[in-house]
Amino acid sequence: MRNFFKQTFASLLGTVLGLMIFFGVSTTGILLLLFAVTSSRDTTPQVKDNSVVVFDLSMNITDSSPSSGELLQQALSGAEVQRMSLRSVLDTLEKARLDPRIVGIYLDASRTSIINQTGFATLREIRQALEKFRQSGKKIVTYGVGLSEKEYYLTSVADEIILNPLGFMPVKGLSSEPLFLSGALERFGIGVQVVREGKFKGAIEPLILKQLSPENRAQIQKLLDDVWQDWRTTVGSSRQITPQQLQAIADTQVLLTASEAKANGLIDQVAYLDEVVANLKTITSSNETDSTFRQINLRNYAQVSGKNLGVERNSPNKIAVVYAEGEIVDGKGEDGQIGGDRFARILNQIRQDNDVKAVVLRINSPGGSAIASEVMHREVQLTRQVKPVVVSMGNVAASGGYWIASDSSRIFAESNTITGSIGVFGVLLNGQKLANNNGITWDTVKTASYADIQTATRPKSPQELEIFQRSVNRIYNLFLDKVVQGRNLPAAKVAEIAQGRVWSGIAAQEIGLVDEIGGLNAAIEYAAQEAKLDNNWQLQEYPKASTLEERFLGRAVEEISTILHMVGVSVQPSHPLIAELQKLEQELVILQKMNDPQGIYARLPFNFRLE
């Protein structure tokens, strides 16, 4: 019977390929069809009763989902780093809470963790979802060889925390150690001139100072104090340890062995992995002869349908979630950047889409281009006139990130989000001394006094610096006005809390820069409420993958669609073939970039920065 199906499939494939070749379909089209055929198998993971979801803490968690291009780069580099979007993690944990087949979650910290790449604000949202899971009566178990402070912030929510006998736990507090380059730049002959507005604007200090300014030191100290206070309060609440006791541990013990961690109440057991597995086998009612406990990892469980659990929605009313993650840049931008023009176009499309009833703009950005920030701000302003625009701040939404957020309907941030930094600066570099020391000189011919004002071959004159300073002042005042209008705050107060200073989410709420403490889910719920949708809504995420008609593979789609139609196969936009073509398109773009070293994103010698 198996040979019969093989022969039938081979015959059918040969017929289709023959038709394609006969009608002149390209080799690319043939390959894409093969991809579609091989990907049509149902690979949905199966969940057994009494299973535990394994949450591997070596996984990288970001706001947006990885593109197929990123996955290709990962594969080509040989890396095996797992990645999930925050939204997927939260949805999957909620699904596990409601699924009667799931009896617990295992937080696996046994491998080298990259969770330190994840910010405290993201960890707080995940922690809250885990707390909700635990309150449903299901069990959470943590095991690790060493638990960093970020890992422990997340895993302290567990019913049972187990550490390897040779494991350790650092409890030492938080620190910041900026690197200063001014001495090296001076030695190599690189000149640096700065124009700025905002005495707390510390982003430029590494280029012009050799230690922190008093203002920058004060704001960093306040920020660290706020985040450390949240760490002690949150961890202490779960472990029934006072913040004062945790502070005493940090001040005296610093690096605790497994037995010391247990003695201080930070963990529950000291055990080996096989003992943990035996415990999890009991929880899952696994047989003693089974090699391990009944389990499914978080990424696989995310693919399991939650329709019968009420966690999957189907509604004509859409809430758009727009992920603005990365540096803000002019133009379209690349992967991992917020291109002002690209995101403005997305917001424009959403504004005109009558099915979208509200927008949640998730911002995770340290800032960037002032022009791109203004382009996006205008689209937020226009969209808000038509439908609610709610901002959810991630780990950082500062400077240009706050510029974008300032005119939204409401701003949500976590208590340990980094925000504010309302200020402007420009850096002017010149290589005159470096060049002269190596026998290189320039001469200039120009038609006006300031024609060469953007040159990097000499320092700027006092008159030229004044020109740049006037521009910085204008942009800064515009920034202040936007915050005054968008946040409905007195101008004097905004002038006082601006100055380029960064604030924690909790401090930002106290001074009026943030409305509510809460995560992405809280922002979505508020948007649904403002749009009067009750529970009749469905999420729609942006940016979306570009369609094939917009790129060079559009012809392949047409070719294959025509041939498949001739053999009686209807190709709809949701057909697996279309999805595979979209993935391949992104992969080819990545390959093109890898072979295009000329495609380098360059800046002019001077650029106004909001970061």
Side-chain angles (χ1 to χ4, degrees):
M1 182 65 71
R2 181 180 301 173
N3 288 335
F4 170 77
F5 283 118
K6 275 186 175 181
Q7 292 169 1
T8 303
F9 174 78
S11 176
L12 175 61
L13 181 59
T15 301
V16 173
L17 293 179
L19 285 169
M20 295 176 74
I21 294 170
F22 178 79
F23 285 100
V25 178
S26 65
T27 305
T28 301
I30 297 175
L31 290 175
L32 294 175
L33 180 60
L34 289 174
F35 288 146
V37 172
T38 57
S39 65
S40 61
R41 295 171 299 174
D42 182 12
T43 58
T44 304
Q46 301 299 312
V47 183
K48 298 179 180 179
D49 290 337
N50 297 321
S51 290
V52 162
V53 174
V54 177
F55 190 163
D56 186 349
L57 298 188
S58 67
M59 180 166 57
N60 191 15
I61 300 168
T62 55
D63 278 358
S64 56
S65 300
S67 66
S68 60
E70 290 174 293
L71 296 176
L72 176 64
Q73 284 182 313
Q74 174 182 310
L76 292 173
S77 67
E80 295 183 0
V81 177
Q82 296 182 342
R83 175 180 165 186
M84 284 182 69
S85 70
L86 173 61
R87 182 70 203 175
S88 179
V89 170
L90 298 178
D91 287 346
T92 304
L93 292 176
E94 174 64 7
K95 181 167 59 180
R97 184 182 72 87
L98 299 172
D99 193 338
R101 298 169 296 180
I102 302 299
V103 296
I105 290 176
Y106 172 48
L107 301 177
D108 182 7
S110 62
R111 294 194 286 178
T112 301
S113 175
I114 61 169
I115 204 169
N116 287 320
Q117 296 180 15
T118 304
F120 273 112
T122 296
L123 295 178
R124 183 176 178 83
E125 289 196 61
I126 298 171
R127 196 183 192 284
Q128 291 170 341
L130 290 170
E131 179 66 36
K132 188 177 180 182
F133 177 92
R134 181 184 176 185
Q135 290 173 353
S136 70
K138 299 183 179 184
K139 197 173 182 67
I140 300 178
V141 176
T142 295
Y143 170 76
V145 176
L147 294 174
S148 69
E149 283 166 312
K150 276 192 174 181
E151 287 174 323
Y152 191 64
Y153 180 78
L154 179 67
T155 60
S156 59
V157 71
D159 298 274
E160 196 170 8
I161 304 175
I162 306 163
L163 203 59
N164 184 280
L166 289 180
F168 60 90
M169 277 191 61
V171 180
K172 54 181 176 52
L174 307 176
S175 66
S176 175
E177 193 173 12
L179 177 68
F180 292 86
L181 304 174
S182 61
L185 294 174
E186 183 179 346
R187 174 183 294 181
F188 288 113
I190 304 296
V192 181
Q193 293 170 293
V194 171
V195 284
R196 64 169 171 171
E197 188 60 60
K199 62 183 178 181
F200 290 97
K201 206 65 178 175
I204 48 84
E205 288 192 355
L207 302 177
I208 59 175
L209 299 179
K210 296 182 180 178
Q211 63 181 18
L212 293 168
S213 67
E215 296 84 1
N216 198 13
R217 181 179 296 278
Q219 73 168 342
I220 292 174
Q221 185 67 61
K222 171 61 175 169
L223 183 62
L224 291 179
D225 287 344
D226 287 348
V227 176
W228 178 237
Q229 176 61 35
D230 175 74
W231 189 95
R232 290 183 298 149
T233 302
T234 303
V235 168
S237 177
S238 292
R239 298 301 303 176
Q240 298 183 346
I241 305 173
T242 67
Q244 292 77 16
Q245 288 174 308
L246 289 169
Q247 184 66 50
I249 292 172
D251 288 335
T252 59
Q253 294 182 260
V254 186
L255 189 63
L256 291 81
T257 64
S259 58
E260 289 171 340
K262 185 175 186 300
N264 282 277
L266 297 173
I267 66 171
D268 300 289
Q269 287 188 48
V270 178
Y272 291 100
L273 179 59
D274 60 284
E275 296 173 301
V276 177
V277 171
N279 180 32
L280 290 170
K281 286 172 68 174
T282 301
I283 294 173
T284 58
S285 302
S286 302
N287 296 324
E288 291 184 5
T289 56
D290 291 341
S291 60
T292 188
F293 56 94
R294 291 193 192 95
Q295 61 183 271
I296 181 170
N297 72 56
L298 190 72
R299 293 179 72 215
N300 287 341
Y301 185 62
Q303 302 173 36
V304 175
S305 173
K307 186 176 182 179
N308 296 330
L309 303 174
V311 296
E312 292 185 5
R313 298 173 179 267
N314 186 12
S315 170
N317 301 319
K318 303 296 189 296
I319 295 178
V321 180
V322 182
Y323 296 102
E325 185 173 21
E327 179 190 12
I328 300 171
V329 300
D330 297 327
K332 182 178 179 181
E334 304 291 341
D335 288 339
Q337 294 179 327
I338 306 170
D341 292 346
R342 179 163 61 107
F343 277 81
R345 186 166 57 252
I346 289 172
L347 290 168
N348 183 283
Q349 293 171 349
I350 289 172
R351 183 169 65 252
Q352 299 179 54
D353 189 340
N354 293 330
D355 291 336
V356 176
K357 308 301 182 182
V359 181
V360 174
L361 180 58
R362 174 71 172 190
I363 301 175
N364 202 350
S365 171
S369 164
I371 294 174
S373 298
E374 172 60 9
V375 168
M376 293 176 63
H377 175 274
R378 177 60 177 169
E379 291 299 328
V380 169
Q381 191 178 54
L382 293 174
T383 304
R384 184 186 175 187
Q385 296 173 6
V386 179
K387 56 195 72 175
V389 180
V390 180
V391 164
S392 169
M393 292 182 169
N395 299 310
V396 56
S399 210
Y402 193 83
W403 184 306
I404 297 168
S406 61
D407 206 24
S408 59
S409 308
R410 201 161 187 82
I411 298 177
F412 286 77
E414 290 290 6
S415 58
N416 44 19
T417 293
I418 300 172
T419 187
S421 193
I422 301 169
V424 186
F425 74 87
V427 177
L428 302 130
L429 301 176
N430 75 82
Q432 184 183 63
K433 184 176 179 182
L434 172 64
N436 291 169
N437 290 344
N438 289 275
I440 300 172
T441 58
W442 292 270
D443 203 351
T444 304
V445 178
K446 54 187 179 182
T447 61
S449 299
Y450 299 110
D452 62 337
I453 193 171
Q454 287 190 324
T455 181
T457 65
R458 60 171 176 79
K460 302 298 179 285
S461 69
Q463 294 78 12
E464 290 171 326
L465 289 176
E466 177 58 29
I467 292 172
F468 284 122
Q469 188 64 55
R470 286 201 302 267
S471 296
V472 166
N473 293 345
R474 183 180 65 83
I475 294 175
Y476 180 65
N477 290 330
L478 179 62
F479 200 165
L480 295 183
D481 288 342
K482 290 185 179 299
V483 178
V484 168
Q485 298 298 323
R487 301 300 303 161
N488 194 26
L489 293 172
K493 181 176 182 179
V494 172
E496 178 186 351
I497 64 179
Q499 298 296 321
R501 180 164 184 170
V502 295
W503 304 90
S504 67
I506 192 69
Q509 185 191 32
E510 293 171 357
I511 60 178
L513 293 179
V514 164
D515 295 298
E516 290 191 39
I517 298 300
L520 181 57
N521 281 342
I524 292 171
E525 290 170 5
Y526 181 85
Q529 176 185 333
E530 285 295 289
K532 298 179 174 56
L533 299 178
D534 295 324
N535 288 320
N536 184 22
W537 53 269
Q538 182 178 347
L539 292 182
Q540 192 161 286
E541 297 184 319
Y542 298 83
K544 292 182 176 180
S546 57
T547 62
L548 298 177
E549 290 75 15
E550 297 172 335
R551 306 296 283 269
F552 64 93
L553 288 180
R555 184 184 175 196
V557 176
E558 296 176 359
E559 289 177 343
I560 297 176
S561 297
T562 300
I563 297 303
L564 290 178
H565 178 74
M566 292 180 64
V567 296
V569 179
S570 177
V571 180
Q572 302 298 326
S574 59
H575 194 280
L577 173 61
I578 302 301
E580 290 302 323
L581 286 169
Q582 290 174 332
K583 290 179 182 178
L584 184 61
E585 171 213 353
Q586 293 179 343
E587 291 166 359
L588 289 173
V589 171
I590 294 297
L591 287 173
Q592 183 183 20
K593 290 179 182 177
M594 293 174 66
N595 289 281
D596 181 21
Q598 300 302 318
I600 300 172
Y601 179 74
R603 298 184 184 277
L604 292 173
F606 181 82
N607 192 20
F608 292 121
R609 308 292 294 160
L610 301 172
E611 62 183 23

